[in-house]
Amino acid sequence: MKVFGANELLEDVFEKNLCIGCGACTYLCPYFRSYRGKTAILFPCNLTQGRCWAYCPKVEVDLDDLSERFFGRPYEKDPLGFHRSVKISKAGRQVSEGSFQAGGTVSALMSFALSKGYISAAALTDREGLRPVPRLAQSTDDILRCSSSKYTASPTLSALNQAINEGHNQIGVVGTPCQVLAIAQMRSNPMGDKDFSDPVSLVVGLFCTWAVDFREFDAFISERIEGSRITKVDIPPPPAEIMEVYTDNGKIEIPLDEIRELVPNTCSYCTDMTAEFSDISVGVLEGRPDMNTIITRTERGEKIVDEARKEGFLILDDIGKENLEHLIWAAGNKKKRAFIKAKQEGMLNAREEGARCYLRVRPETVEEIIA
Amino acid sequence: MASMQLAQDPYNIIITGVGGQGNVMASRVLANMLVRRGFNVTIGETFGASQRGGSVMSHLRVSATSSWSPQIPRGRVDVVIALEPTEGIRVLKDYGNPQVKILSNKRAIRPVGVIAGELDYPSMEEIRGSVQELASSAWFIDATDEAVKLGNPILGNIIMIGALSGLGVLPLEREDFKEAILRSIPRDKLDINLKAYDIGRQIIKQNEDSTGN
Amino acid sequence: MSYLIDNTEGAQYLLMGNEAIARGALEAGAKVVCGYPGTPSSDIIESLAKIAKDMNIYVEWSTNEKVAMEVAAAGSFAGLRSMCVMKQNGVNVASDFLLHLAGSGTRAGMVLVSCDDPGALSSANEGESRFFARLVEIPLLEPGDFQEAKDMIKWAFELSEEIRNLVMVRSVTRMSHASGNVKFGKLPPGDVHAVFKCDGFILDPMEGAVMSLPVRYKHALQQEKIKKAGEIFEDCPFNSYHGPEKPEVLIITSSACNLYSREAIGILGVEDRVGLLKLGTTWPLPPELLKRHLSRTDKILIVEEVLPFLEENVKILAAEMAPEIGIKTFHGKNDGTIPAVGELNPDLVVGALAQIVGIDYKPVPDEYAEKAEGVPTSRAPARELTFCPGCPHRASFWSIHNALQLDGRKGFVCGDIGCYGMATLPCGFSTLKTLHAMGSGGGIASGFGKLGRLGFDQPVLAVCGDSTFFHAEVPALINAVHHNSDFTLVVLDNSGTAMTGFQPHPGLKVSAMGEDVTSVDIAEICRALGARVEIRDPFDLGETQETLNELIEDKAGLKVLILRQICALSPEKKAGKKYDMTIDDEICLGENCGCNKVCTRIFRCPGLVWDKEKMVTRVDDVICSGCGVCADICPEGAIKRKEVA
């Protein structure tokens, strides 16, 4: 991949409002920090190559490279990305009841991996009011505390980077597709570091169609709840088309169209709904609020899911044909729209010497997706 | 009345350095030594601001007759005392002339632009080269290092005054130094200052053979 | 015992111009002296404060210049010679009272000393105070050497009593901060008894009410006074002429420019062609003296700094006298012969004069000039101003900068002069975006804080020093609270008026004279105004930044954060290092991704040096003051601090 530095990152991502605030560039150095849902650059850095650039999921992402690296084949048009299986799941009896959304699959997987020693800590996203807060969980209780959906873009990878700084080398991460993409880049040692060893032992990806900008969301909600304390936020599976905000003064419902107004433009370039570079991806299941959809992608992902089932952490079932078709349709739609937009705006496969772009992928694949 | 004929009237001295090096004190002490010998001395001090980090220059004008402008005209300095070596070069470029002599401390104080990597600091060879290009005689002295040995780097300025006395271009007497320095320091610091003065004087006396290059 | 109170008549000392002014006040028997610190004026009060008790005089660092002038005026009204001292900007602050005082008149002699700073060597502007003398119709004197700086003060007191009005003496940096030989006169006996007589006829100048009313009567009286001063000036000993009977060129000058002009004539060797009229009395100009000199020449060069004050006044006289003296050619600032801005020096005057008399002057032989030109400027790299090693401001602005960057809404800082004014530069991370008069940061922030209804959504901070807080910040804060303006004031409290040399201010428990006084608490004032107040140590970077972000997000009107840490140059701190600092070369990341020299490239403390060979940072032990803050900047923990035993 082509690696540039902070100045180019500023120009290509920050100044073009493409930053989603995933946290991948934060805490690697003294210059990038997350604050209230946004990534801030404290001081300029003049290095020509930096990890901030290399990890960023919004610039110079070479999908073929990454796919070769993790799945041994170039990137293909499959709307779900490379995968070994798609099933439905929920937390098993070994997982204490949390306030998790849907089936609790993610909490179950992380609790299992931690209890078995597959990971020593998990980089997760907690919430303070509406504000997503990255957390490094080192116990099952910590994991369950972070269980609910956030719907806001979140700098989860700050917690990952801080964990690496602290010397952790067996880390589990739960992230959205953009975060999982950043992790994939990080794990492929883009800077060619001689002493590199992959510190990430499990990546659980979350399905995502979009996330809202925290600061705008906060202002939007604050106006409507007048000082009440938020206890939970939920978007029930389609066709509900509402967001439910639970507060200590009761529940309010907001039409999703109003919420979509708060989605940053950068999400419209995202080609990935199901976190295609994870070990395991998890999302909601249409029509079944008690269950999740679960996609296994890697060998180690498959192994963990299997063991978790055997040890009572996870309950698995087959996915219905209609559900699978709908999932493929939704993911394909997102991918196609994003590729068309990126292509129209000249953000794919820049060729000139020294030119930089958003995504690199074989042009044939792009044409197949767009067709 | 002035007790010794000056080589020039006024005889012009520039003490230059960086804020925090005791430049102002050095100029006062030197001037008071000369006032005790019956001279009129005018001191002008130039600094960008009183903080550390900026260049600080004192202009001393020694005359048998009157006060002079507190700023020395271009090309008219007779001897330069550089508490910091590159500051000596800066002064020579503006005030030097073919006869000028310079006493330079060797200890560098890097400007913040150098610390930040935006500018380069010249090597000692480059500094020597430029100084010798512009001065008729030059002496390089480890004043700060000697002062650190005495326990306080600030004494570098006194070592430089001692060195100037060793040149013999001005009627600088140890007794006058003693009286003049006591206007600036408590009596219990007198001995260490006298020691610094003597060290400076010795450095010049020991190297008398190698002067003028 | 200070040499300043040596009562040996004829004793000779090397005095700074400001010390000469102080000695002049002593020889005049001044009993009340006050001012507000400001370079280049501060040493006057400082040297008098040290001997105030010995000499039985009252010396005060007042809250601001207007108050200083009022306190000094009380002395005059009570029959005591009194003096107030300030830099040029201070006269602006005092000017409201100044106008009233010039109208009411004074009793015992009263002198205002204003120290201007041509070239703004330590100022934020090139203020010109001489116009105030013309504006408020009081006499103006300008000393032309160090001896005069002393003698003129005494003479000014006598003049003030002669005309019963304030007399202004204007010095400049090159006079106040330069030193020269000064011969002492006698000190007067010190017995006085202060009393304010106010029971007489209301218009009685010595026993009535002191006021500028009735205006017509008092204004006419004031103009008689200034006219009388003009008459006295005709024979003033501080006006002198040197040169031929009928000079080809007449230089008219005053102040330090007198020394430059004298030297320029000598350098060019034109003593027989050029005359030098040096004026000590520059407002009002003595008309007969001017007529005498103007009539003997055709070309006039006026040498002065800042604004063409002398030039304009001489031209007015010359225009009025034209039928008698003929038409003259004037050179000076207006025609560009003398630079319009910046301070002068002998070389600039040589250049101006050489042009008029037609001499081609070269300071050094061409060959040498070429050699000097040939030495690259890189051999003496530029020295940008920076905060001192260990300066609390560097830490404060680090946190302010980071808090604003994290916030991300393009917040900024409004401020004023003081060391922290350097936060406009990289040493303060270029955080300060407006810089004006003392206290203006708060006033401007108060304005920005009300623009929300007009679409403004940037966070606003203001900074001021502790001394500035008392000087001029409080009215701005009252304005902000009253109008519910939303901003955060950061008080950079370093326990003294640090920039000018640690003069005490109302927040401290000791006065200029070293007496115990009541301290006024900044936090209590702010709380009393209704502001949310937090106090932090700026050396605790994390807590300071967190507090700042919290305050910036708090929309509850005025918030005040007091950052308390003593100035690194304070005698207390200079006494010893708190920490010994070292670098672990093994850990230092240097230029690598993950650091890229944050300590030397960004934090830029002069105590840290980038070692190009080893590619690591080093501590310069001679310069490092051991504050320990850089250890918290280092992302890898390579900078170690160890408490000094």
Side-chain angles (χ1 to χ4, degrees):
Chain A
M1 83 178 286
K2 294 188 173 184
V3 181
F4 292 87
N7 285 333
E8 290 81 6
L9 191 65
L10 194 65
E11 197 180 310
D12 292 3
V13 177
F14 286 83
E15 283 169 13
K16 291 181 180 158
N17 280 325
L18 290 180
C19 176
I20 186 66
C22 71
C25 59
T26 62
Y27 294 95
L28 297 169
C29 69
Y31 309 117
F32 289 86
R33 291 289 181 273
S34 290
Y35 181 71
R36 281 176 49 83
K38 288 231 186 293
T39 301
I41 303 178
L42 299 184
F43 292 101
C45 171
N46 56 2
L47 292 182
T48 52
Q49 293 200 316
R51 290 173 292 170
C52 53
W53 170 282
Y55 298 172
C56 179
K58 297 291 180 179
V59 73
E60 280 295 342
V61 177
D62 193 321
L63 292 173
D64 290 320
D65 256 16
L66 289 175
S67 191
E68 285 282 1
R69 179 169 190 96
F70 291 99
F71 308 121
R73 68 192 69 199
Y75 187 77
E76 286 167 0
K77 69 167 182 178
D78 188 333
L80 303 185
F82 176 80
H83 57 275
R84 291 164 184 258
S85 69
V86 182
K87 289 194 155 65
I88 64 172
S89 62
K90 66 175 182 182
R93 61 183 191 288
Q94 290 293 338
V95 184
S96 51
E97 288 279 328
S99 66
F100 34 74
Q101 244 111 344
T105 302
V106 176
S107 301
L109 286 168
M110 296 317 277
S111 303
F112 173 71
L114 190 68
S115 69
K116 293 294 283 183
Y118 291 138
I119 59 174
S120 62
L124 306 174
T125 313
D126 195 359
R127 194 161 56 78
E128 280 173 10
L130 282 180
R131 187 161 65 93
V133 181
R135 285 257 191 273
L136 191 68
Q138 287 174 273
S139 70
T140 314
D141 285 351
D142 289 349
I143 290 173
L144 294 179
R145 205 170 298 131
C146 298
S147 62
S148 67
S149 295
K150 309 304 177 302
Y151 306 108
T152 51
S154 122
T156 312
L157 301 186
S158 304
L160 173 62
N161 288 338
Q162 283 172 292
I164 296 170
N165 290 344
E166 285 164 19
H168 287 276
N169 55 11
Q170 263 192 299
I171 310 164
V173 199
V174 177
T176 54
C178 48
Q179 292 168 342
V180 168
L181 194 56
I183 296 165
Q185 298 195 90
M186 190 200 88
R187 293 173 64 201
S188 62
N189 187 22
M191 301 286 283
D193 202 339
K194 279 190 251 90
D195 317 320
F196 182 82
S197 71
D198 184 354
V200 178
S201 302
L202 176 64
V203 180
V204 174
L206 302 169
F207 293 6
C208 177
T209 41
W210 42 255
V212 292
D213 179 285
F214 161 70
R215 293 188 188 191
E216 289 195 27
F217 187 50
D218 186 48
F220 177 92
I221 296 289
S222 299
E223 270 177 30
R224 287 163 176 77
I225 61 168
E226 288 168 352
S228 311
R229 200 177 61 86
I230 291 165
T231 52
K232 188 182 166 183
V233 181
D234 195 16
I235 299 178
E241 276 294 307
I242 50 157
M243 174 181 270
E244 298 169 340
V245 179
Y246 297 81
T247 74
D248 47 11
N249 283 322
K251 184 175 90 168
I252 60 166
E253 293 186 353
I254 301 161
L256 269 191
D257 277 344
E258 285 184 36
I259 300 294
R260 286 198 188 95
E261 294 287 311
L262 310 176
V263 176
N265 189 38
T266 183
C267 287
S268 66
Y269 296 98
C270 176
T271 65
D272 184 359
M273 192 186 91
T274 60
E276 296 172 28
F277 293 93
S278 66
D279 292 304
I280 304 159
S281 293
V282 179
V284 294
L285 178 64
E286 193 155 351
R288 291 281 303 272
D290 62 324
M291 293 297 283
N292 291 111
T293 307
I294 182 167
I295 302 177
T296 56
R297 302 184 186 280
T298 62
E299 208 172 301
R300 75 181 186 194
E302 199 166 46
K303 181 169 164 260
I304 284 175
V305 168
D306 196 40
E307 286 181 19
R309 183 186 57 80
K310 282 182 188 151
E311 298 197 19
F313 279 80
L314 205 62
I315 296 166
L316 287 176
D317 205 347
D318 289 336
I319 187 165
K321 184 166 176 266
E322 203 178 315
N323 279 121
L324 182 62
E325 277 171 3
H326 182 79
L327 178 67
I328 291 170
W329 172 82
N333 237 352
K334 181 177 177 182
K335 193 182 293 284
K336 184 173 174 178
R337 264 205 305 265
F339 268 110
I340 290 172
K341 190 169 159 92
K343 191 184 174 199
Q344 276 172 351
E345 295 179 23
M347 293 164 73
L348 304 177
N349 298 324
R351 290 196 194 289
E352 304 86 70
E353 179 74 21
R356 312 184 296 260
C357 65
Y358 165 45
L359 284 182
R360 292 192 185 270
V361 62
R362 286 177 305 159
E364 313 86 270
T365 315
V366 177
E367 292 313 314
E368 282 169 30
I369 291 167
I370 287 174
Chain B
M1 260 283 91
S3 56
M4 172 181 159
Q5 200 71 26
L6 293 165
Q8 307 272 343
D9 196 329
Y11 191 84
N12 296 326
I13 307 162
I14 295 181
I15 305 179
T16 187
V18 178
Q21 285 194 296
N23 184 316
V24 172
M25 183 202 180
S27 68
R28 299 267 160 85
V29 169
L30 183 56
N32 274 310
M33 289 169 75
L34 290 159
V35 168
R36 287 178 57 83
R37 289 284 126 198
F39 291 106
N40 281 277
V41 184
T42 312
I43 316 176
E45 275 142 18
T46 304
F47 36 79
S50 45
Q51 292 80 21
R52 289 188 190 189
S55 306
V56 180
M57 206 174 20
S58 298
H59 289 197
L60 276 81
R61 320 209 52 189
V62 189
S63 167
T65 55
S66 65
S67 287
W68 285 80
S69 147
Q71 297 191 74
I72 294 171
R74 290 181 77 91
R76 301 242 165 177
V77 70
D78 296 300
V79 61
V80 178
I81 298 175
L83 301 175
E84 202 283 345
T86 61
E87 290 308 314
I89 296 176
R90 208 189 303 283
V91 164
L92 288 178
K93 275 171 76 76
D94 284 345
Y95 297 94
N97 57 67
Q99 288 77 44
V100 67
K101 296 177 171 63
I102 179 167
L103 283 169
S104 178
N105 187 5
K106 283 196 207 160
R107 176 66 174 232
I109 295 181
R110 287 165 183 78
V112 69
V114 171
I115 288 173
E118 293 152 7
L119 300 171
D120 284 324
Y121 193 89
S123 68
M124 201 57 215
E125 291 69 52
E126 288 173 320
I127 291 170
R128 271 181 197 277
S130 297
V131 166
Q132 281 159 1
E133 177 91 3
L134 297 182
S136 70
S137 335
W139 292 262
F140 289 90
I141 298 166
D142 287 316
T144 303
D145 292 355
E146 291 294 331
V148 169
K149 283 185 211 160
L150 287 178
N152 191 348
I154 193 79
L155 290 168
N157 60 356
I158 301 301
I159 291 176
M160 295 300 283
I161 292 179
L164 178 67
S165 79
L167 287 191
V169 292
L170 286 163
L172 299 171
E173 303 295 336
R174 194 171 188 273
E175 194 51 34
D176 293 328
F177 172 73
K178 200 170 143 182
E179 293 302 317
I181 190 81
L182 278 173
R183 285 177 61 166
S184 311
I185 57 156
R187 193 163 275 277
D188 62 333
K189 295 269 164 62
L190 178 62
D191 280 352
I192 193 85
N193 277 277
L194 279 172
K195 212 179 252 177
Y197 180 86
D198 292 340
I199 287 172
R201 197 176 164 86
Q202 272 161 24
I203 288 173
I204 294 298
K205 291 290 179 199
Q206 279 162 5
N207 293 321
E208 234 156 23
D209 303 337
S210 63
T211 57
N213 51 50
Chain C
M1 196 206 259
S2 167
Y3 51 88
L4 271 189
I5 52 176
D6 183 346
N7 204 6
T8 321
E9 203 175 348
Q12 208 175 124
Y13 284 95
L14 180 75
L15 294 192
M16 218 204 289
N18 279 343
E19 290 176 312
I21 290 169
R23 172 72 190 193
L26 292 175
E27 289 184 12
K31 284 289 161 194
V32 177
V33 184
C34 32
Y36 182 83
T39 313
S41 71
S42 313
D43 327 77
I44 300 172
I45 301 266
E46 291 209 311
S47 35
L48 288 171
K50 281 182 205 143
I51 51 165
K53 284 180 187 161
D54 297 327
M55 298 298 290
N56 190 28
I57 57 179
Y58 177 70
V59 179
E60 169 182 300
W61 281 125
S62 308
T63 305
N64 66 31
E65 292 87 349
K66 176 170 176 278
V67 175
M69 199 179 286
E70 288 155 353
V71 172
S76 165
F77 300 163
L80 305 175
R81 284 189 171 184
S82 62
M83 182 164 90
C84 60
V85 181
M86 54 202 66
K87 73 180 291 177
Q88 84 275 5
N89 303 88
V91 185
N92 302 321
V93 176
S95 63
D96 193 14
F97 178 66
L98 175 62
L99 178 60
H100 283 88
L101 182 64
S104 77
T106 53
R107 288 185 182 170
M110 179 168 171
V111 173
L112 159 64
V113 176
S114 162
C115 298
D116 288 11
D117 188 19
L121 300 174
S122 45
S123 303
N125 56 43
E126 273 196 292
E128 165 70 89
S129 67
R130 291 181 298 174
F131 280 89
F132 277 105
R134 202 168 95 180
L135 186 70
V136 306
E137 301 168 279
I138 56 171
L140 171 68
L141 308 179
E142 295 185 68
D145 64 30
F146 310 100
Q147 185 68 42
E148 276 190 14
K150 176 184 82 70
D151 296 344
M152 197 178 257
I153 292 291
K154 194 170 173 219
W155 198 80
F157 275 106
E158 284 157 13
L159 176 66
S160 170
E161 280 168 11
E162 185 90 28
I163 64 168
R164 297 288 169 208
N165 211 349
L166 181 68
V167 172
M168 178 165 166
V169 176
R170 184 242 197 185
S171 178
V172 292
T173 303
R174 296 294 180 186
M175 190 59 61
S176 283
H177 272 184
S179 306
N181 294 47
V182 176
K183 223 175 244 165
F184 281 11
K186 283 296 272 186
L187 296 174
D191 299 339
V192 288
H193 179 68
V195 57
F196 178 46
K197 294 181 184 156
C198 52
D199 295 333
F201 171 54
I202 190 163
L203 294 181
D204 185 312
M206 297 308 282
E207 294 188 4
V210 189
M211 57 185 181
S212 55
L213 303 170
V215 173
R216 271 187 80 86
Y217 170 76
K218 286 288 174 74
H219 193 185
L221 193 61
Q222 191 188 349
Q223 292 190 336
E224 275 175 39
K225 294 175 180 180
I226 192 83
K227 194 160 166 258
K228 189 171 171 191
E231 286 160 15
I232 293 170
F233 287 172
E234 295 288 0
D235 301 312
C236 171
F238 302 112
N239 299 327
S240 63
Y241 175 76
H242 289 280
E245 176 71 19
K246 291 195 169 187
E248 191 183 317
V249 180
L250 174 70
I251 293 179
I252 303 178
T253 189
S254 66
S255 192
C257 296
N258 166 48
L259 297 171
Y260 306 150
S261 303
R262 204 164 77 192
E263 185 145 12
I265 292 170
I267 286 173
L268 292 176
V270 289
E271 291 87 346
D272 52 345
R273 294 169 65 191
V274 177
L276 179 63
L277 177 61
K278 175 254 160 195
L279 294 175
T281 64
T282 46
W283 183 258
L285 289 174
E288 292 306 317
L289 178 80
L290 266 293
K291 190 198 273 181
R292 225 165 29 244
H293 287 283
L294 291 176
S295 62
R296 292 177 194 160
T297 189
D298 290 326
K299 279 188 206 161
I300 295 122
L301 169 65
I302 290 156
V303 180
E304 66 187 317
E305 294 173 309
V306 195
L307 294 177
F309 176 77
L310 205 48
E311 181 173 343
E312 285 171 10
N313 295 332
V314 169
K315 281 176 174 171
I316 291 169
L317 280 181
E320 286 170 0
M321 295 166 181
E324 291 165 83
I325 64 168
I327 305 297
K328 308 294 174 187
T329 304
F330 286 94
H331 299 288
K333 280 179 175 273
N334 271 9
D335 74 344
T337 311
I338 297 290
V341 296
E343 65 164 345
L344 294 183
N345 57 38
D347 297 300
L348 289 168
V349 181
V350 165
L353 189 57
Q355 189 188 322
I356 297 168
V357 296
I359 291 178
D360 185 18
Y361 171 73
K362 286 177 181 157
V364 286
D366 286 346
E367 190 200 354
Y368 188 86
E370 273 166 37
K371 266 206 285 193
E373 190 74 16
V375 171
T377 48
S378 60
R379 292 291 157 86
R383 288 192 191 272
E384 190 181 275
L385 289 180
T386 184
F387 293 130
C388 301
C391 176
H393 295 330
R394 181 179 289 104
S396 296
F397 282 105
W398 177 269
S399 299
I400 293 172
H401 170 91
N402 288 358
L404 288 173
Q405 289 300 113
L406 287 176
D407 179 87
R409 289 176 291 160
K410 302 211 178 309
F412 57 89
V413 184
C414 302
D416 58 44
I417 53 162
C419 289
Y420 51 89
M422 290 198 299
T424 52
L425 304 174
C427 68
F429 319 107
S430 309
T431 318
L432 191 61
K433 300 300 185 189
T434 77
L435 187 158
H436 298 86
M438 294 185 70
S440 290
I444 291 174
S446 171
F448 277 121
K450 286 310 293 177
L451 299 182
R453 69 181 67 187
L454 300 169
F456 183 84
D457 61 358
Q458 296 161 268
V460 182
L461 265 65
V463 289
C464 73
D466 37 342
S467 190
T468 306
F469 178 87
F470 296 106
H471 179 282
E473 197 72 46
V474 178
L477 298 187
I478 293 171
N479 191 67
V481 170
H482 177 59
H483 293 101
N484 196 27
S485 176
D486 178 26
F487 75 93
T488 304
L489 172 73
V490 181
V491 182
L492 303 164
D493 184 351
N494 57 8
S495 298
T497 316
M499 188 169 198
T500 48
F502 304 102
Q503 292 80 10
H505 61 61
L508 303 181
K509 290 189 167 68
V510 65
S511 74
M513 292 167 63
E515 290 172 334
D516 293 341
V517 285
T518 309
S519 69
V520 181
D521 189 85
I522 295 176
E524 285 307 317
I525 291 179
C526 296
R527 284 193 196 106
L529 289 175
R532 174 179 171 188
V533 179
E534 303 288 345
I535 301 169
R536 296 287 180 274
D537 174 359
F539 284 178
D540 187 336
L541 300 176
E543 212 182 57
T544 300
Q545 176 249 300
E546 265 173 42
T547 307
L548 276 162
N549 278 114
E550 200 183 308
L551 292 176
I552 290 168
E553 266 164 50
D554 181 349
K555 301 262 186 306
L558 177 67
K559 288 87 57 180
V560 177
L561 172 62
I562 300 172
L563 292 179
R564 226 172 245 167
Q565 182 62 248
I566 301 175
C567 172
L569 296 184
S570 67
E572 190 183 328
K573 284 257 185 99
K574 280 185 94 170
K577 288 185 183 183
K578 186 167 183 205
Y579 297 105
D580 270 329
M581 306 303 294
T582 51
I583 309 273
D584 187 333
D585 287 6
E586 295 298 310
I587 303 179
C588 176
L589 272 181
E591 288 182 327
N592 290 315
C593 179
C595 180
N596 191 17
K597 304 192 291 185
V598 68
C599 58
T600 54
R601 190 175 63 91
I602 305 289
F603 194 61
R604 299 160 83 103
C605 176
L608 298 169
V609 178
W610 174 244
D611 185 331
K612 265 190 175 167
E613 272 80 62
K614 287 191 182 161
M615 302 290 275
V616 291
T617 295
R618 278 196 295 112
V619 174
D620 187 330
D621 284 325
V622 170
I623 294 171
C624 173
S625 73
C627 73
V629 173
C630 57
D632 293 327
I633 302 296
C634 179
E636 297 296 302
I639 305 180
K640 312 274 187 198
R641 63 181 158 222
K642 201 183 93 195
E643 207 146 338
V644 175

